[in-house]
Amino acid sequence: MLRYLIRRLLAAAVILLVITVITFVIFYALPSNPALLACGKTCSPSRLAEIKHSLGLDQSFMTQFWEFFKGLFVGRDYGDQSLRVHCGAPCLGLSFQTDTPVLTTLLGDFPADLSLGLGAAVVFLVLGVGLGMVAAVRRGKAADKAAVGFALVGVSVQIYFIGLLLLFLFVDKWQILPASGYTPITQDPAAWFQGLILPWITLVIVYLAMYTRLTRSSMLEVFAEDYMRTARAKGLPARKVVLKHGLRAAITPIITIFGMDVGSLIGGSAVITESVFGINGIGKLAVDSVQNSDLPVILGTTLFAATFVVLANVVVDVVYGLVDPRVRLA
Amino acid sequence: MSLQTSPHPAQVAPASAPFLDVRDLRVHFPTEDGIVKSVDGVSFTLEKGSTLGIVGESGSGKSVTSLALLGLHKGTRAQVSGEIRLEGRDLVALPEHDMRALRGRTVSMIFQDPLSALHPYFTVGAQIAEAYQVHHRVSKKEARDRAVEMLKRVGIPQPDRRAKDYPHQFSGGMRQRAMIAMSLVCDPALLIADEPTTALDVTVQAQILDLIRDLQEEFGSAVILITHDLGVVADIADDILVMYGGRRIEYGSVRDVLTRPEHPYTWGLLESMPHIGGDVERRLNPIAGSPPSLIDLPSGCAFHPRCTFKGWVPHGLCAAERPELLAVAGTDRHIAACHLTAETKREIRGRRAAQ
């Protein structure tokens, strides 16, 4: 098991390295002039060169990459003695816009995504697996049709539609909830919860559909397995056959998808939800940075999100090993 | 509770009633294309301590019959009718809740492919212990000990250690032994083995059959052995039931059916079997054609489209009329369903012997 874990972690490190290289190459190849952007309206050629130099843009591609790569591990200093900015390891660069280390901004926005993503994920996993199981057990009956129909609606409607509808109903019309947004849980837990409840519901509706369908099909596949017949032939009650023997086998593909979804959700992929509900998360940061051509921030958010997806995959692999002895003992 | 206590409910049957009495069993599956008559009027009896071999090709209704004996069609779309009297109790009419109490405890089953029939994510020991625990109020530890004991009984070396292994860590033969241990853990009165050796190496097949026979002697269970291999039946069964298209085609003691088979289909089964010590040059004689559709069985005798001897029966009777199961003269309960008369069969036998 330990060897398995080490193998997975090494593979994850390699993947991250590859992503770093690719993102950096794209960044470097972009036809924009960051120095010009940073220089502002009153720009002189000498000032431009100065900025170029302080950003390291006057160096070769290899040198720039090496500086960036080194910064990830040991940190990096920008600028000259007078206006020196230190960027501690792991340094993802400085924002052109704010001159602050990208990682600081990312970590500041991260709790919002963590709350949004994890909160919704727990609910849609539990509800989705539950509904999917009911649908599978009652295949072809009313409960199954209702679940499948609901799933279809969930897949079809868009986040901004549900989100805006919920906002209109709960905040504007009925005024049950205050305007949504993110308040740190450490600051005011009640406000944290109230501000996130509509975004959670929105994400749950969208993701629940997929988990219901996935669980249903996975469960139906397992029901056809010989070992399910064996479980019944032993005299196990139907409930135990489904919940113990069935779910144990059907849950593996769901774990895989769930891991990736959680990874990308807390890595900032809930960008539409963020913007509908006015939550300042990593998704919004990424969009803003693209609009401003703030390349270090684009690079940083990409790497940050990738790290979470890759880490989530490692976690999935480990859980897989725990669930399936054939993986663990292979 | 002692492990030796007989777990069978005290169901006192009339002294004359057979232990298992299946009468006119029908299992029909309604589908969009029509009703699939997988089992269509099958009857047989079985006493404790004896073995019935049910023989037939795939799709002849063997496995569906065995699932009906376990009541596993309950709660599915299958329509089951007829009677399955086990110690006087009709399993067809039994509600699911009561049937569940019998499954694994009074009636248990060994499945064909132990790799797919065992759950890949639970240890072998846990799966056997679970089968025991579901019918007995015992602690986890006691159930586990019982599982290890059963593994030892079916000849698995180092049973204590092997109980902690997963099915994929067992070899094919060992897996089937574990499956047998699981099916015998509650000391069932009726054991159904559905092609227990089909998925195994030939060398292992004999070991498994010996094991089933030994355990039957030890436990005194009644055994139903489902197979397409007449050789296996000849080895360990007392009676043979030959099925074709969901119906009985020939039924009797092993001695009667194998020494004097009455139905051309049974002849075909026997001739398609290689004999050890037989002439190497002699070609095996497979039965031409393929098993019939269970939705639309051929008219008359279901076997007639494949039968080489239908020409011996006058007036196209084979296609027109379904032959009755008739007692074979000079035997005690050997029956067969064929339009060929005794004289014709004698003549056919004579010609074949002369060849």
Side-chain angles (χ1 to χ4, degrees), chain B residues 20 22 44-46 50-54 62 65-66 69 107-110 189-196 212 216 221-227 236-237 241:
Chain B
L20 174 68
V22 176
F44 58 84
T45 61
L46 183 62
S50 48
T51 301
L52 168 72
I54 302 184
K62 302 169 294 184
T65 304
S66 62
L69 291 171
V107 188
S108 74
M109 186 141 175
I110 300 169
L190 173 61
L191 176 67
I192 305 163
D194 188 358
E195 311 220 12
I212 292 177
Q216 177 184 23
S221 327
V223 173
I224 295 178
L225 182 72
I226 292 166
T227 176
I236 72 172
L241 172 66

PDB file of all heavy atoms in Angstrom, chain B residues 20 22 44-46 50-54 62 65-66 69 107-110 189-196 212 216 221-227 236-237 241:
ATOM      1  N   LEU B  20     -38.120 -34.090  -1.720  1.00  0.00           N
ATOM      2  CA  LEU B  20     -38.385 -32.994  -2.664  1.00  0.00           C
ATOM      3  C   LEU B  20     -39.307 -33.525  -3.752  1.00  0.00           C
ATOM      4  O   LEU B  20     -39.031 -34.553  -4.360  1.00  0.00           O
ATOM      5  CB  LEU B  20     -37.081 -32.497  -3.276  1.00  0.00           C
ATOM      6  CG  LEU B  20     -37.235 -31.445  -4.384  1.00  0.00           C
ATOM      7  CD1 LEU B  20     -37.757 -30.131  -3.835  1.00  0.00           C
ATOM      8  CD2 LEU B  20     -35.899 -31.210  -5.090  1.00  0.00           C
ATOM      9  N   VAL B  22     -41.202 -32.073  -7.023  1.00  0.00           N
ATOM     10  CA  VAL B  22     -41.491 -30.979  -7.947  1.00  0.00           C
ATOM     11  C   VAL B  22     -42.553 -31.453  -8.928  1.00  0.00           C
ATOM     12  O   VAL B  22     -42.404 -32.509  -9.543  1.00  0.00           O
ATOM     13  CB  VAL B  22     -40.215 -30.554  -8.704  1.00  0.00           C
ATOM     14  CG1 VAL B  22     -40.534 -29.480  -9.731  1.00  0.00           C
ATOM     15  CG2 VAL B  22     -39.158 -30.060  -7.727  1.00  0.00           C
ATOM     16  N   PHE B  44     -40.222 -33.908 -10.902  1.00  0.00           N
ATOM     17  CA  PHE B  44     -39.278 -34.950 -10.462  1.00  0.00           C
ATOM     18  C   PHE B  44     -39.345 -35.055  -8.950  1.00  0.00           C
ATOM     19  O   PHE B  44     -39.913 -34.180  -8.287  1.00  0.00           O
ATOM     20  CB  PHE B  44     -37.846 -34.654 -10.925  1.00  0.00           C
ATOM     21  CG  PHE B  44     -37.290 -33.334 -10.468  1.00  0.00           C
ATOM     22  CD1 PHE B  44     -36.705 -33.194  -9.215  1.00  0.00           C
ATOM     23  CD2 PHE B  44     -37.336 -32.219 -11.309  1.00  0.00           C
ATOM     24  CE1 PHE B  44     -36.178 -31.974  -8.816  1.00  0.00           C
ATOM     25  CE2 PHE B  44     -36.823 -30.996 -10.905  1.00  0.00           C
ATOM     26  CZ  PHE B  44     -36.236 -30.875  -9.655  1.00  0.00           C
ATOM     27  N   THR B  45     -38.811 -36.123  -8.420  1.00  0.00           N
ATOM     28  CA  THR B  45     -38.735 -36.267  -6.966  1.00  0.00           C
ATOM     29  C   THR B  45     -37.303 -36.586  -6.588  1.00  0.00           C
ATOM     30  O   THR B  45     -36.520 -37.054  -7.413  1.00  0.00           O
ATOM     31  CB  THR B  45     -39.633 -37.412  -6.449  1.00  0.00           C
ATOM     32  OG1 THR B  45     -39.189 -38.624  -7.043  1.00  0.00           O
ATOM     33  CG2 THR B  45     -41.094 -37.163  -6.760  1.00  0.00           C
ATOM     34  N   LEU B  46     -36.983 -36.300  -5.335  1.00  0.00           N
ATOM     35  CA  LEU B  46     -35.621 -36.555  -4.875  1.00  0.00           C
ATOM     36  C   LEU B  46     -35.666 -36.865  -3.381  1.00  0.00           C
ATOM     37  O   LEU B  46     -36.350 -36.181  -2.620  1.00  0.00           O
ATOM     38  CB  LEU B  46     -34.750 -35.318  -5.144  1.00  0.00           C
ATOM     39  CG  LEU B  46     -33.276 -35.405  -4.797  1.00  0.00           C
ATOM     40  CD1 LEU B  46     -32.588 -36.487  -5.603  1.00  0.00           C
ATOM     41  CD2 LEU B  46     -32.600 -34.059  -5.059  1.00  0.00           C
ATOM     42  N   SER B  50     -29.706 -38.779  -1.843  1.00  0.00           N
ATOM     43  CA  SER B  50     -29.496 -39.204  -3.225  1.00  0.00           C
ATOM     44  C   SER B  50     -29.266 -38.000  -4.134  1.00  0.00           C
ATOM     45  O   SER B  50     -29.440 -36.853  -3.735  1.00  0.00           O
ATOM     46  CB  SER B  50     -30.643 -40.077  -3.721  1.00  0.00           C
ATOM     47  OG  SER B  50     -31.869 -39.493  -3.407  1.00  0.00           O
ATOM     48  N   THR B  51     -28.877 -38.309  -5.358  1.00  0.00           N
ATOM     49  CA  THR B  51     -28.460 -37.269  -6.284  1.00  0.00           C
ATOM     50  C   THR B  51     -29.230 -37.381  -7.591  1.00  0.00           C
ATOM     51  O   THR B  51     -29.364 -38.467  -8.142  1.00  0.00           O
ATOM     52  CB  THR B  51     -26.953 -37.405  -6.582  1.00  0.00           C
ATOM     53  OG1 THR B  51     -26.241 -37.303  -5.352  1.00  0.00           O
ATOM     54  CG2 THR B  51     -26.480 -36.317  -7.538  1.00  0.00           C
ATOM     55  N   LEU B  52     -29.709 -36.234  -8.039  1.00  0.00           N
ATOM     56  CA  LEU B  52     -30.387 -36.179  -9.331  1.00  0.00           C
ATOM     57  C   LEU B  52     -29.512 -35.386 -10.292  1.00  0.00           C
ATOM     58  O   LEU B  52     -29.054 -34.292  -9.961  1.00  0.00           O
ATOM     59  CB  LEU B  52     -31.753 -35.491  -9.180  1.00  0.00           C
ATOM     60  CG  LEU B  52     -32.463 -35.107 -10.482  1.00  0.00           C
ATOM     61  CD1 LEU B  52     -32.987 -36.349 -11.191  1.00  0.00           C
ATOM     62  CD2 LEU B  52     -33.597 -34.128 -10.226  1.00  0.00           C
ATOM     63  N   GLY B  53     -29.283 -35.946 -11.454  1.00  0.00           N
ATOM     64  CA  GLY B  53     -28.551 -35.195 -12.464  1.00  0.00           C
ATOM     65  C   GLY B  53     -29.542 -34.623 -13.469  1.00  0.00           C
ATOM     66  O   GLY B  53     -30.342 -35.362 -14.022  1.00  0.00           O
ATOM     67  N   ILE B  54     -29.519 -33.307 -13.648  1.00  0.00           N
ATOM     68  CA  ILE B  54     -30.359 -32.716 -14.689  1.00  0.00           C
ATOM     69  C   ILE B  54     -29.467 -32.383 -15.868  1.00  0.00           C
ATOM     70  O   ILE B  54     -28.476 -31.657 -15.725  1.00  0.00           O
ATOM     71  CB  ILE B  54     -31.093 -31.452 -14.185  1.00  0.00           C
ATOM     72  CG1 ILE B  54     -31.960 -31.798 -12.959  1.00  0.00           C
ATOM     73  CG2 ILE B  54     -31.954 -30.862 -15.294  1.00  0.00           C
ATOM     74  CD1 ILE B  54     -32.790 -30.631 -12.448  1.00  0.00           C
ATOM     75  N   LYS B  62     -32.349 -25.921 -17.436  1.00  0.00           N
ATOM     76  CA  LYS B  62     -31.730 -26.497 -16.234  1.00  0.00           C
ATOM     77  C   LYS B  62     -31.519 -25.456 -15.150  1.00  0.00           C
ATOM     78  O   LYS B  62     -31.938 -25.624 -14.004  1.00  0.00           O
ATOM     79  CB  LYS B  62     -30.339 -27.073 -16.577  1.00  0.00           C
ATOM     80  CG  LYS B  62     -30.319 -28.107 -17.629  1.00  0.00           C
ATOM     81  CD  LYS B  62     -28.875 -28.389 -18.057  1.00  0.00           C
ATOM     82  CE  LYS B  62     -28.281 -27.189 -18.737  1.00  0.00           C
ATOM     83  NZ  LYS B  62     -26.953 -27.355 -19.257  1.00  0.00           N
ATOM     84  N   THR B  65     -34.628 -23.847 -13.668  1.00  0.00           N
ATOM     85  CA  THR B  65     -35.244 -24.751 -12.709  1.00  0.00           C
ATOM     86  C   THR B  65     -34.575 -24.613 -11.340  1.00  0.00           C
ATOM     87  O   THR B  65     -35.240 -24.493 -10.311  1.00  0.00           O
ATOM     88  CB  THR B  65     -35.112 -26.218 -13.190  1.00  0.00           C
ATOM     89  OG1 THR B  65     -35.684 -26.316 -14.480  1.00  0.00           O
ATOM     90  CG2 THR B  65     -35.798 -27.168 -12.239  1.00  0.00           C
ATOM     91  N   SER B  66     -33.235 -24.585 -11.362  1.00  0.00           N
ATOM     92  CA  SER B  66     -32.537 -24.526 -10.080  1.00  0.00           C
ATOM     93  C   SER B  66     -32.782 -23.198  -9.374  1.00  0.00           C
ATOM     94  O   SER B  66     -32.920 -23.147  -8.150  1.00  0.00           O
ATOM     95  CB  SER B  66     -31.039 -24.761 -10.272  1.00  0.00           C
ATOM     96  OG  SER B  66     -30.506 -23.753 -11.093  1.00  0.00           O
ATOM     97  N   LEU B  69     -35.965 -23.401  -7.561  1.00  0.00           N
ATOM     98  CA  LEU B  69     -35.882 -24.157  -6.312  1.00  0.00           C
ATOM     99  C   LEU B  69     -35.394 -23.271  -5.171  1.00  0.00           C
ATOM    100  O   LEU B  69     -35.730 -23.476  -4.015  1.00  0.00           O
ATOM    101  CB  LEU B  69     -34.934 -25.350  -6.468  1.00  0.00           C
ATOM    102  CG  LEU B  69     -35.432 -26.461  -7.391  1.00  0.00           C
ATOM    103  CD1 LEU B  69     -34.328 -27.472  -7.647  1.00  0.00           C
ATOM    104  CD2 LEU B  69     -36.633 -27.153  -6.777  1.00  0.00           C
ATOM    105  N   VAL B 107     -31.911 -24.861   1.478  1.00  0.00           N
ATOM    106  CA  VAL B 107     -31.572 -25.072   0.070  1.00  0.00           C
ATOM    107  C   VAL B 107     -30.392 -24.175  -0.248  1.00  0.00           C
ATOM    108  O   VAL B 107     -30.452 -22.972  -0.010  1.00  0.00           O
ATOM    109  CB  VAL B 107     -32.731 -24.647  -0.861  1.00  0.00           C
ATOM    110  CG1 VAL B 107     -32.428 -25.046  -2.292  1.00  0.00           C
ATOM    111  CG2 VAL B 107     -34.039 -25.236  -0.396  1.00  0.00           C
ATOM    112  N   SER B 108     -29.321 -24.740  -0.762  1.00  0.00           N
ATOM    113  CA  SER B 108     -28.230 -23.844  -1.138  1.00  0.00           C
ATOM    114  C   SER B 108     -27.669 -24.250  -2.483  1.00  0.00           C
ATOM    115  O   SER B 108     -27.983 -25.307  -3.005  1.00  0.00           O
ATOM    116  CB  SER B 108     -27.146 -23.815  -0.074  1.00  0.00           C
ATOM    117  OG  SER B 108     -26.408 -25.001  -0.128  1.00  0.00           O
ATOM    118  N   MET B 109     -26.843 -23.376  -3.018  1.00  0.00           N
ATOM    119  CA  MET B 109     -26.453 -23.548  -4.410  1.00  0.00           C
ATOM    120  C   MET B 109     -24.965 -23.297  -4.627  1.00  0.00           C
ATOM    121  O   MET B 109     -24.375 -22.390  -4.037  1.00  0.00           O
ATOM    122  CB  MET B 109     -27.259 -22.563  -5.249  1.00  0.00           C
ATOM    123  CG  MET B 109     -27.048 -22.728  -6.714  1.00  0.00           C
ATOM    124  SD  MET B 109     -28.606 -22.486  -7.572  1.00  0.00           S
ATOM    125  CE  MET B 109     -28.039 -22.587  -9.252  1.00  0.00           C
ATOM    126  N   ILE B 110     -24.382 -24.119  -5.473  1.00  0.00           N
ATOM    127  CA  ILE B 110     -23.010 -23.905  -5.928  1.00  0.00           C
ATOM    128  C   ILE B 110     -23.117 -23.410  -7.364  1.00  0.00           C
ATOM    129  O   ILE B 110     -23.724 -24.074  -8.198  1.00  0.00           O
ATOM    130  CB  ILE B 110     -22.204 -25.219  -5.913  1.00  0.00           C
ATOM    131  CG1 ILE B 110     -22.148 -25.803  -4.511  1.00  0.00           C
ATOM    132  CG2 ILE B 110     -20.802 -24.987  -6.441  1.00  0.00           C
ATOM    133  CD1 ILE B 110     -21.604 -27.225  -4.484  1.00  0.00           C
ATOM    134  N   ALA B 189     -30.180 -29.121   3.524  1.00  0.00           N
ATOM    135  CA  ALA B 189     -30.788 -30.415   3.236  1.00  0.00           C
ATOM    136  C   ALA B 189     -30.786 -30.686   1.739  1.00  0.00           C
ATOM    137  O   ALA B 189     -30.769 -31.826   1.305  1.00  0.00           O
ATOM    138  CB  ALA B 189     -32.214 -30.445   3.768  1.00  0.00           C
ATOM    139  N   LEU B 190     -30.820 -29.588   0.967  1.00  0.00           N
ATOM    140  CA  LEU B 190     -30.802 -29.728  -0.490  1.00  0.00           C
ATOM    141  C   LEU B 190     -29.701 -28.843  -1.069  1.00  0.00           C
ATOM    142  O   LEU B 190     -29.657 -27.646  -0.813  1.00  0.00           O
ATOM    143  CB  LEU B 190     -32.166 -29.311  -1.078  1.00  0.00           C
ATOM    144  CG  LEU B 190     -32.254 -29.252  -2.610  1.00  0.00           C
ATOM    145  CD1 LEU B 190     -31.988 -30.606  -3.235  1.00  0.00           C
ATOM    146  CD2 LEU B 190     -33.614 -28.720  -3.040  1.00  0.00           C
ATOM    147  N   LEU B 191     -28.809 -29.480  -1.803  1.00  0.00           N
ATOM    148  CA  LEU B 191     -27.714 -28.742  -2.414  1.00  0.00           C
ATOM    149  C   LEU B 191     -27.861 -28.803  -3.924  1.00  0.00           C
ATOM    150  O   LEU B 191     -28.008 -29.878  -4.499  1.00  0.00           O
ATOM    151  CB  LEU B 191     -26.379 -29.371  -1.998  1.00  0.00           C
ATOM    152  CG  LEU B 191     -25.132 -28.774  -2.632  1.00  0.00           C
ATOM    153  CD1 LEU B 191     -24.915 -27.353  -2.144  1.00  0.00           C
ATOM    154  CD2 LEU B 191     -23.916 -29.633  -2.321  1.00  0.00           C
ATOM    155  N   ILE B 192     -27.858 -27.633  -4.547  1.00  0.00           N
ATOM    156  CA  ILE B 192     -27.960 -27.600  -5.998  1.00  0.00           C
ATOM    157  C   ILE B 192     -26.611 -27.171  -6.549  1.00  0.00           C
ATOM    158  O   ILE B 192     -26.074 -26.138  -6.150  1.00  0.00           O
ATOM    159  CB  ILE B 192     -29.044 -26.595  -6.449  1.00  0.00           C
ATOM    160  CG1 ILE B 192     -30.371 -26.937  -5.784  1.00  0.00           C
ATOM    161  CG2 ILE B 192     -29.172 -26.595  -7.965  1.00  0.00           C
ATOM    162  CD1 ILE B 192     -31.365 -25.810  -5.825  1.00  0.00           C
ATOM    163  N   ALA B 193     -26.055 -27.977  -7.425  1.00  0.00           N
ATOM    164  CA  ALA B 193     -24.771 -27.626  -8.026  1.00  0.00           C
ATOM    165  C   ALA B 193     -24.997 -27.363  -9.506  1.00  0.00           C
ATOM    166  O   ALA B 193     -25.332 -28.278 -10.255  1.00  0.00           O
ATOM    167  CB  ALA B 193     -23.770 -28.750  -7.813  1.00  0.00           C
ATOM    168  N   ASP B 194     -24.880 -26.104  -9.902  1.00  0.00           N
ATOM    169  CA  ASP B 194     -25.145 -25.725 -11.293  1.00  0.00           C
ATOM    170  C   ASP B 194     -23.847 -25.743 -12.083  1.00  0.00           C
ATOM    171  O   ASP B 194     -23.061 -24.814 -12.007  1.00  0.00           O
ATOM    172  CB  ASP B 194     -25.795 -24.335 -11.332  1.00  0.00           C
ATOM    173  CG  ASP B 194     -26.265 -23.955 -12.729  1.00  0.00           C
ATOM    174  OD1 ASP B 194     -26.041 -24.760 -13.666  1.00  0.00           O
ATOM    175  OD2 ASP B 194     -26.856 -22.874 -12.884  1.00  0.00           O
ATOM    176  N   GLU B 195     -23.638 -26.796 -12.825  1.00  0.00           N
ATOM    177  CA  GLU B 195     -22.411 -26.981 -13.597  1.00  0.00           C
ATOM    178  C   GLU B 195     -21.181 -26.630 -12.773  1.00  0.00           C
ATOM    179  O   GLU B 195     -20.406 -25.751 -13.162  1.00  0.00           O
ATOM    180  CB  GLU B 195     -22.454 -26.124 -14.872  1.00  0.00           C
ATOM    181  CG  GLU B 195     -23.762 -26.299 -15.622  1.00  0.00           C
ATOM    182  CD  GLU B 195     -23.584 -26.363 -17.124  1.00  0.00           C
ATOM    183  OE1 GLU B 195     -22.438 -26.493 -17.578  1.00  0.00           O
ATOM    184  OE2 GLU B 195     -24.599 -26.332 -17.840  1.00  0.00           O
ATOM    185  N   PRO B 196     -20.973 -27.304 -11.667  1.00  0.00           N
ATOM    186  CA  PRO B 196     -19.916 -26.884 -10.740  1.00  0.00           C
ATOM    187  C   PRO B 196     -18.509 -27.065 -11.288  1.00  0.00           C
ATOM    188  O   PRO B 196     -17.566 -26.500 -10.746  1.00  0.00           O
ATOM    189  CB  PRO B 196     -20.133 -27.788  -9.524  1.00  0.00           C
ATOM    190  CG  PRO B 196     -20.801 -28.997 -10.071  1.00  0.00           C
ATOM    191  CD  PRO B 196     -21.654 -28.515 -11.201  1.00  0.00           C
ATOM    192  N   ILE B 212     -17.796 -33.153  -3.678  1.00  0.00           N
ATOM    193  CA  ILE B 212     -19.251 -33.033  -3.523  1.00  0.00           C
ATOM    194  C   ILE B 212     -19.828 -34.363  -3.048  1.00  0.00           C
ATOM    195  O   ILE B 212     -20.646 -34.418  -2.139  1.00  0.00           O
ATOM    196  CB  ILE B 212     -19.904 -32.591  -4.855  1.00  0.00           C
ATOM    197  CG1 ILE B 212     -19.490 -31.151  -5.181  1.00  0.00           C
ATOM    198  CG2 ILE B 212     -21.424 -32.692  -4.776  1.00  0.00           C
ATOM    199  CD1 ILE B 212     -20.008 -30.630  -6.502  1.00  0.00           C
ATOM    200  N   GLN B 216     -21.587 -35.020   0.496  1.00  0.00           N
ATOM    201  CA  GLN B 216     -22.976 -35.470   0.511  1.00  0.00           C
ATOM    202  C   GLN B 216     -23.133 -36.640   1.477  1.00  0.00           C
ATOM    203  O   GLN B 216     -24.073 -36.695   2.257  1.00  0.00           O
ATOM    204  CB  GLN B 216     -23.402 -35.894  -0.891  1.00  0.00           C
ATOM    205  CG  GLN B 216     -24.825 -36.427  -0.903  1.00  0.00           C
ATOM    206  CD  GLN B 216     -25.225 -36.934  -2.264  1.00  0.00           C
ATOM    207  OE1 GLN B 216     -24.378 -37.285  -3.070  1.00  0.00           O
ATOM    208  NE2 GLN B 216     -26.510 -36.962  -2.504  1.00  0.00           N
ATOM    209  N   SER B 221     -27.104 -34.724   2.530  1.00  0.00           N
ATOM    210  CA  SER B 221     -28.002 -33.835   1.784  1.00  0.00           C
ATOM    211  C   SER B 221     -28.510 -34.523   0.524  1.00  0.00           C
ATOM    212  O   SER B 221     -27.932 -35.497   0.052  1.00  0.00           O
ATOM    213  CB  SER B 221     -27.264 -32.566   1.350  1.00  0.00           C
ATOM    214  OG  SER B 221     -26.310 -32.192   2.283  1.00  0.00           O
ATOM    215  N   ALA B 222     -29.586 -33.984   0.000  1.00  0.00           N
ATOM    216  CA  ALA B 222     -30.010 -34.349  -1.341  1.00  0.00           C
ATOM    217  C   ALA B 222     -29.272 -33.412  -2.290  1.00  0.00           C
ATOM    218  O   ALA B 222     -29.077 -32.245  -1.973  1.00  0.00           O
ATOM    219  CB  ALA B 222     -31.513 -34.175  -1.486  1.00  0.00           C
ATOM    220  N   VAL B 223     -28.825 -33.925  -3.431  1.00  0.00           N
ATOM    221  CA  VAL B 223     -28.051 -33.092  -4.348  1.00  0.00           C
ATOM    222  C   VAL B 223     -28.700 -33.086  -5.729  1.00  0.00           C
ATOM    223  O   VAL B 223     -29.128 -34.127  -6.227  1.00  0.00           O
ATOM    224  CB  VAL B 223     -26.592 -33.601  -4.465  1.00  0.00           C
ATOM    225  CG1 VAL B 223     -25.844 -32.852  -5.548  1.00  0.00           C
ATOM    226  CG2 VAL B 223     -25.875 -33.473  -3.134  1.00  0.00           C
ATOM    227  N   ILE B 224     -28.815 -31.896  -6.290  1.00  0.00           N
ATOM    228  CA  ILE B 224     -29.219 -31.796  -7.694  1.00  0.00           C
ATOM    229  C   ILE B 224     -28.006 -31.295  -8.453  1.00  0.00           C
ATOM    230  O   ILE B 224     -27.449 -30.244  -8.135  1.00  0.00           O
ATOM    231  CB  ILE B 224     -30.400 -30.829  -7.880  1.00  0.00           C
ATOM    232  CG1 ILE B 224     -31.639 -31.384  -7.181  1.00  0.00           C
ATOM    233  CG2 ILE B 224     -30.673 -30.608  -9.364  1.00  0.00           C
ATOM    234  CD1 ILE B 224     -32.841 -30.475  -7.268  1.00  0.00           C
ATOM    235  N   LEU B 225     -27.565 -32.073  -9.409  1.00  0.00           N
ATOM    236  CA  LEU B 225     -26.385 -31.721 -10.167  1.00  0.00           C
ATOM    237  C   LEU B 225     -26.811 -31.350 -11.580  1.00  0.00           C
ATOM    238  O   LEU B 225     -27.355 -32.179 -12.303  1.00  0.00           O
ATOM    239  CB  LEU B 225     -25.438 -32.919 -10.192  1.00  0.00           C
ATOM    240  CG  LEU B 225     -24.129 -32.687 -10.905  1.00  0.00           C
ATOM    241  CD1 LEU B 225     -23.234 -31.788 -10.077  1.00  0.00           C
ATOM    242  CD2 LEU B 225     -23.442 -34.009 -11.178  1.00  0.00           C
ATOM    243  N   ILE B 226     -26.574 -30.097 -11.910  1.00  0.00           N
ATOM    244  CA  ILE B 226     -26.976 -29.642 -13.234  1.00  0.00           C
ATOM    245  C   ILE B 226     -25.756 -29.650 -14.127  1.00  0.00           C
ATOM    246  O   ILE B 226     -24.707 -29.116 -13.763  1.00  0.00           O
ATOM    247  CB  ILE B 226     -27.574 -28.235 -13.125  1.00  0.00           C
ATOM    248  CG1 ILE B 226     -28.889 -28.345 -12.367  1.00  0.00           C
ATOM    249  CG2 ILE B 226     -27.781 -27.628 -14.504  1.00  0.00           C
ATOM    250  CD1 ILE B 226     -29.413 -27.047 -11.911  1.00  0.00           C
ATOM    251  N   THR B 227     -25.864 -30.276 -15.265  1.00  0.00           N
ATOM    252  CA  THR B 227     -24.682 -30.400 -16.107  1.00  0.00           C
ATOM    253  C   THR B 227     -25.101 -30.695 -17.543  1.00  0.00           C
ATOM    254  O   THR B 227     -26.254 -30.993 -17.811  1.00  0.00           O
ATOM    255  CB  THR B 227     -23.766 -31.538 -15.595  1.00  0.00           C
ATOM    256  OG1 THR B 227     -22.678 -31.687 -16.486  1.00  0.00           O
ATOM    257  CG2 THR B 227     -24.509 -32.853 -15.500  1.00  0.00           C
ATOM    258  N   ILE B 236     -21.810 -39.763 -10.457  1.00  0.00           N
ATOM    259  CA  ILE B 236     -22.275 -39.531  -9.097  1.00  0.00           C
ATOM    260  C   ILE B 236     -23.792 -39.479  -8.897  1.00  0.00           C
ATOM    261  O   ILE B 236     -24.248 -39.416  -7.767  1.00  0.00           O
ATOM    262  CB  ILE B 236     -21.631 -38.259  -8.477  1.00  0.00           C
ATOM    263  CG1 ILE B 236     -22.182 -36.988  -9.085  1.00  0.00           C
ATOM    264  CG2 ILE B 236     -20.132 -38.299  -8.581  1.00  0.00           C
ATOM    265  CD1 ILE B 236     -21.675 -35.768  -8.331  1.00  0.00           C
ATOM    266  N   ALA B 237     -24.579 -39.535  -9.985  1.00  0.00           N
ATOM    267  CA  ALA B 237     -26.017 -39.386  -9.772  1.00  0.00           C
ATOM    268  C   ALA B 237     -26.727 -40.719  -9.589  1.00  0.00           C
ATOM    269  O   ALA B 237     -26.224 -41.773  -9.972  1.00  0.00           O
ATOM    270  CB  ALA B 237     -26.630 -38.631 -10.946  1.00  0.00           C
ATOM    271  N   LEU B 241     -32.460 -36.704 -15.191  1.00  0.00           N
ATOM    272  CA  LEU B 241     -33.566 -36.033 -15.851  1.00  0.00           C
ATOM    273  C   LEU B 241     -32.979 -35.348 -17.080  1.00  0.00           C
ATOM    274  O   LEU B 241     -32.087 -34.509 -16.949  1.00  0.00           O
ATOM    275  CB  LEU B 241     -34.187 -35.009 -14.898  1.00  0.00           C
ATOM    276  CG  LEU B 241     -35.234 -34.064 -15.471  1.00  0.00           C
ATOM    277  CD1 LEU B 241     -36.471 -34.831 -15.896  1.00  0.00           C
ATOM    278  CD2 LEU B 241     -35.617 -33.012 -14.443  1.00  0.00           C
TER     279      LEU B 241
END
